[in-house]
Amino acid sequence: MASRREAPLMRGGGGGQPLSRGSRIAAAVVVGVALGCLCAFFYPDGFFSRAPESAIHWPRRADSVACDTSREVAHLKSQLLSLERKNAEFRKHVNELSMKLQLAGQGKNEVLYKAGPFGTVKALRTNPTVTPDLSINPRLAQILEQVAVKKELIVALANSNVKEMLEMWFTNIKRVGISNYLVVALDDSIENFCKSNDVPVYRRDPDDGVDNIGKTGGNHAVSGLKFRVLREFLQLGYSVLLSDIDIIFFQNPFDYLYRDSDVESMSDGHNNMTAYGFNDVFDEPSMGWARYAHTMRIWVYNSGFFFIRPTIPSIELLDRVAGRLSREPKSWDQAVFNEELFFPSHPGYEGLHASKRTMDIYLFMNSKVLFKTVRKDVHLRKLKPVIVHLNYHPDKSDRMKAVIEFYVNGKQNALEHFPDGSE
């Protein structure tokens, strides 16, 4: 038989007896302890480097990261606000460029816009407002910033000749609760009178051309000044509701404006036809078959109460009217105002390209409507107007007091003893 081969661990050195299992375990323990001592001596910090101090204190890094994040958020918010402001400026710039493009294309054979489907096409109705120029009158700009609401305010011109009516004017404005109004004082007396009654007032810088008329001029002369005075308000970017002082306020007019036109005015018309327009047939019998000619009629806008937006056509209107009044001293400002606003372009004349709207004649009521129609109608008497303008009658002060009695104090017979007209 072949001899059995022994495994190495089962053989002792020199062919002695093999080691027992206990001896082998003891030898392994001794070797392990010896190796551990050697490692502890030569590698006191261990085989791996110690973690850095910053890694141990990780909450501090978290705090630092949180601070950095809050700063980044604040920075991003600041950038967002800046971008929003720039975006608003770009939108305004786009509107101005669009307007310029439209104006530049007038009279040219260029198609700037494509028309939509039948029945959907609508022309531009509301012109963009001008860019405010605060440098033209910094003092007025400061006053308007304090007085105006949403860049809108009521403006009236007054001198000492109309002191009693002016007091009724601002007393009723205060009663209604209107805060955005301003009196342009044309003399020292009115300026002091307004200040003593806590009425917002503005006195223009000395101007001989304006001051001479403002201090001594009558109703019509002072009325013509407003077209020169209002220009600065529009240049500063404010919409103005121009008001004569023979007007009584019963509601806040800003709640009833449409703001879709350059000029929004009350009418001198006394019914729907005369105020809003009608087809008037002119008869000329000598023409035979063609004896009837159709004409379009509308009664004039009242230049004593109108809302005007700060647009290029609006400023052009003021310039045109003021220019004509200075060249034609005997002309009436209301006639000139309407001619420049309504006359179309024709050979030798270029009409004004301004949009316009007629106010509701029962809300913005002239005194002819009141005394000829409303006071005699059971149903119309119950309506509460926004304003009543005593433009048709010379006994203004007495009628203003009676109108206040009727609408404010409820005195039903307050208007009865007045005639329809001025006879």
Side-chain angles (χ1 to χ4, degrees), residues 270-325:
H270 61 93
N271 55 28
N272 287 353
M273 276 182 49
T274 56
Y276 310 137
F278 63 102
N279 181 4
D280 186 31
V281 180
F282 177 76
D283 184 10
E284 190 175 7
S286 63
M287 286 298 294
W289 176 82
R291 63 183 291 179
Y292 299 110
H294 290 259
T295 67
M296 302 309 299
R297 300 281 300 279
I298 185 172
W299 285 30
V300 294
Y301 281 178
N302 191 291
S303 62
F305 191 87
F306 60 87
F307 180 72
I308 186 165
R309 296 176 58 249
T311 66
I312 292 298
S314 296
I315 295 174
E316 184 182 357
L317 172 64
L318 298 181
D319 288 352
R320 286 188 178 210
V321 176
R324 278 190 57 186
L325 291 175

Side-chain angles (χ1 to χ4, degrees), residues 64-103:
S64 176
V65 170
C67 292
D68 291 341
T69 302
S70 63
R71 281 196 295 268
E72 289 177 2
V73 170
H75 180 64
L76 289 173
K77 286 182 178 179
S78 176
Q79 284 185 319
L80 180 60
L81 290 175
S82 177
L83 289 173
E84 287 177 348
R85 283 194 294 267
K86 289 181 180 179
N87 192 31
E89 293 174 1
F90 285 144
R91 282 198 301 269
K92 183 186 295 183
H93 191 51
V94 167
N95 287 337
E96 293 171 358
L97 291 176
S98 298
M99 188 63 184
K100 290 178 180 178
L101 179 62
Q102 192 174 21
L103 292 174

